[in-house]
Amino acid sequence: DTEVTQTPKHLVMGMTNKKSLKCEQHMGHRAMYWYKQKAKKPPELMFVYSYEKLSINESVPSRFSPECPNSSLLNLHLHALQPEDSALYLCASSMGTDSNQPQHFGDGTRLSIL
Amino acid sequence: SQELEQSPQSLIVQEGKNLTINCTSSKTLYGLYWYKQKYGEGLIFLMMLQKGGEEKSHEKITAKLDEKKQQSSLHITASQPSHAGIYLCGADFAPRINTGKLIFGQGTTLQVKP
């Protein structure tokens, strides 16, 4: 069982819908991440939050909007997505962003855009 | 260009056999991480290596980082069906600025035949 919890596990939405992905951890981690993973590809970083502040945005389209309400929660708000946005979205957390802090991943949300 | 090259891309072994997966970079590796992923699920953290020549083991899995910190290997002894999955190496190439940004290799898919 993972200590990073993502909901929902699966999401199907139309291109005009608005939905949100949620991620929660209770390990006291101060860094949280969103990754996107297409089939048979490695995860690609989207956003990094450090101490509840956005520290990295990897040139992600504005139809993806991250939010970190507190140190335990991370949301990804979705609006007007495209079919190519269908993927597995993974959340991760770590104690900090330095290189000696391993990231721990949730099981992901499988997103399908119709 | 791919900053982390994994080899082989896929591997099929008979249960009980040993195997090795390699992860190579043209740049110095800081915070080299090994993860395992089952299809459609999250990444499970296996081991982290930081120092040149470092070696770590967990159960039947051993990971090493070479002295030059440009190549890592993951060795599984007496493989079992439970070892099947996708193995990913990830690295932080900018440790001094503590971004938390991990770059992953393309992954190695392991099948273990009973």
Side-chain angles (χ1 to χ4, degrees):
Chain A
D1 288 337
T2 179
E3 293 183 81
V4 177
T5 304
Q6 289 189 243
T7 54
K9 291 193 182 301
H10 303 276
L11 179 62
V12 179
M13 57 187 286
M15 289 190 282
T16 57
N17 293 157
K18 284 185 182 181
K19 295 285 185 184
S20 296
L21 309 185
K22 296 185 184 301
C23 175
E24 189 169 3
Q25 57 87 16
H26 294 289
M27 295 180 281
H29 289 176
R30 305 313 300 263
M32 296 187 78
Y33 312 79
W34 280 116
Y35 287 83
K36 175 182 178 180
Q37 186 177 26
K38 300 283 279 185
K40 299 186 179 181
K41 296 289 186 183
E44 292 183 346
L45 184 68
M46 299 173 72
F47 303 103
V48 180
Y49 273 83
S50 180
Y51 289 86
E52 302 164 42
K53 291 185 179 178
L54 182 65
S55 59
I56 294 181
N57 176 342
E58 288 287 289
S59 302
V60 179
S62 59
R63 56 186 184 267
F64 294 90
S65 176
E67 178 196 19
C68 189
N70 60 58
S71 59
S72 300
L73 292 173
L74 185 66
N75 299 321
L76 186 63
H77 302 298
L78 315 172
H79 174 55
L81 295 194
Q82 302 298 308
E84 61 265 28
D85 297 322
S86 297
L88 181 67
Y89 288 84
L90 294 163
C91 172
S93 69
S94 62
M95 193 63 73
T97 55
D98 24 340
S99 61
N100 64 354
Q101 303 293 343
Q103 295 178 24
H104 297 271
F105 286 77
D107 283 336
T109 294
R110 174 74 60 189
L111 177 65
S112 299
I113 307 299
L114 301 179
Chain B
S1 64
Q2 185 65 28
E3 293 184 76
L4 281 177
E5 293 283 345
Q6 279 187 242
S7 62
Q9 288 188 344
S10 63
L11 198 51
I12 303 173
V13 300
Q14 202 69 35
E15 183 177 357
K17 295 293 185 184
N18 303 336
L19 64 108
T20 300
I21 299 168
N22 293 303
C23 177
T24 304
S25 172
S26 58
K27 302 178 185 179
T28 301
L29 295 168
Y30 298 95
L32 190 284
Y33 302 86
W34 283 100
Y35 288 89
K36 178 186 175 185
Q37 184 177 31
K38 295 223 166 178
Y39 177 74
E41 297 182 7
L43 279 65
I44 299 168
F45 171 67
L46 296 175
M47 276 173 276
M48 175 182 71
L49 303 166
Q50 287 191 289
K51 300 176 183 176
E54 188 175 10
E55 180 175 321
K56 288 186 177 178
S57 294
H58 177 68
E59 297 180 344
K60 294 185 178 180
I61 300 176
T62 300
K64 300 178 185 179
L65 183 61
D66 74 340
E67 289 289 346
K68 291 185 178 179
K69 295 172 66 173
Q70 287 188 299
Q71 183 168 345
S72 179
S73 60
L74 186 81
H75 184 77
I76 299 176
T77 304
S79 58
Q80 300 168 354
S82 60
H83 288 128
I86 302 168
Y87 289 81
L88 291 151
C89 63
D92 180 350
F93 288 102
R96 288 196 178 88
I97 53 177
N98 293 336
T99 63
K101 179 175 178 176
L102 285 187
I103 304 295
F104 287 95
Q106 289 296 101
T108 295
T109 301
L110 171 64
Q111 294 181 53
V112 180
K113 290 192 169 182

